[in-house]
Amino acid sequence: MIINPAVVKLFHYISSQVEEQKVLTHQGQLTCRYGYGRAMKTALQGESGQDFIGVHIKGDICNFVVCDGVGKSYQGSSNTRYLGNTLLDWLDSTVDWSSKEFLSYMEYIPVMAMKELQNPIPSATMYICGRIELPTLEEPVGRIWMAWQGDSRLRFWRDGLEVSQYFKGTINTKERWSISEGPLGGTPHVYQSRLEYGLPMRLQLYTDGLHDLDPIHERLPDEQIQILFDAPHTDGLIEDAAFLEFEW
């Protein structure tokens, strides 16, 4: 089947880190919801958030990254942004999806950062990155590939049933990536699975600033997720928060 390039939907979102992003939805061949918020203390001081979201969708292909900067440092937000954009580039260009290749790349990024960022101040980041290749009527088997380190939440529903138990033992606060040393606390976790045409799925990613989502299994409407970002019960977010959700 030949697809007219004019009808292929493109969507590109990179969180600014210097302002909040209300919960919004992009509707294409898959549905993408996203939102971003800085901790209230960070916003009041006019500082950049250390979480990061990057999404690039072209037709039935989606690359995504969510990063959570660890602690506070002078260059923490820029280093997190550097990792996020670098991973998006890798997701768009790699042909080797093996765990070995990904580990090798994550070990090499500090070498690039040292040259491109001119001696960046050491800081660490937790991350989840991935690629969704949607199944279609013509190609009924697609693929999802993901890699991560840290405690950012990774939740997955198949046909309405949450199947996130596979990831629970791999969500670890001691694991992270350092811009000066590469992976810390262990090697990256890599997950790959086939996607079947016609089977409804939902993938939800968020950082610890939205931990109130942890016990909630049903799909919340935008306005309820926005309440979590507004955090009226604590007069604003205590931690930076990033939210990304896909449905297909």
Side-chain angles (χ1 to χ4, degrees), residues 84-158:
N85 283 315
T86 301
L87 285 174
L88 281 176
D89 289 343
W90 182 86
L91 290 164
D92 189 52
S93 61
T94 190
V95 294
D96 185 346
W97 298 93
S98 66
S99 300
K100 181 179 179 181
E101 169 62 20
F102 184 72
L103 172 60
S104 176
Y105 187 70
M106 295 302 285
E107 292 173 336
Y108 178 66
I109 295 177
V111 178
M112 295 192 297
M114 188 63 66
K115 298 176 182 178
E116 297 174 2
L117 299 181
Q118 299 179 341
N119 300 317
I121 294 175
S123 66
T125 302
M126 300 179 183
Y127 66 89
I128 304 172
C129 67
R131 179 180 177 92
I132 299 169
E133 300 172 357
L134 289 177
T136 65
L137 189 60
E138 293 77 18
E139 297 288 343
V141 178
R143 177 180 66 160
I144 183 169
W145 181 97
M146 295 184 288
W148 64 92
Q149 284 184 285
D151 69 350
S152 293
R153 279 46 166 190
L154 175 54
R155 304 178 67 180
F156 201 18
W157 286 261
R158 289 177 180 266

Side-chain angles (χ1 to χ4, degrees), residues 23-25 33 202 204 213 216 218-229 243 245 247:
V23 178
L24 291 176
T25 299
R33 290 201 295 172
R202 179 162 65 106
Q204 187 181 79
L213 269 176
I216 300 173
E218 66 273 17
R219 183 189 187 281
L220 293 183
D222 292 3
E223 56 270 23
Q224 290 191 29
I225 296 175
Q226 188 60 54
I227 289 173
L228 297 181
F229 273 106
F243 172 83
E245 184 179 76
E247 294 178 277

Side-chain angles (χ1 to χ4, degrees), residues 172-190:
N172 190 333
T173 58
K174 296 180 180 179
E175 296 181 357
R176 57 199 65 185
W177 178 88
S178 164
I179 200 162
S180 58
E181 302 176 68
L184 298 176
T187 57
H189 303 279
V190 174

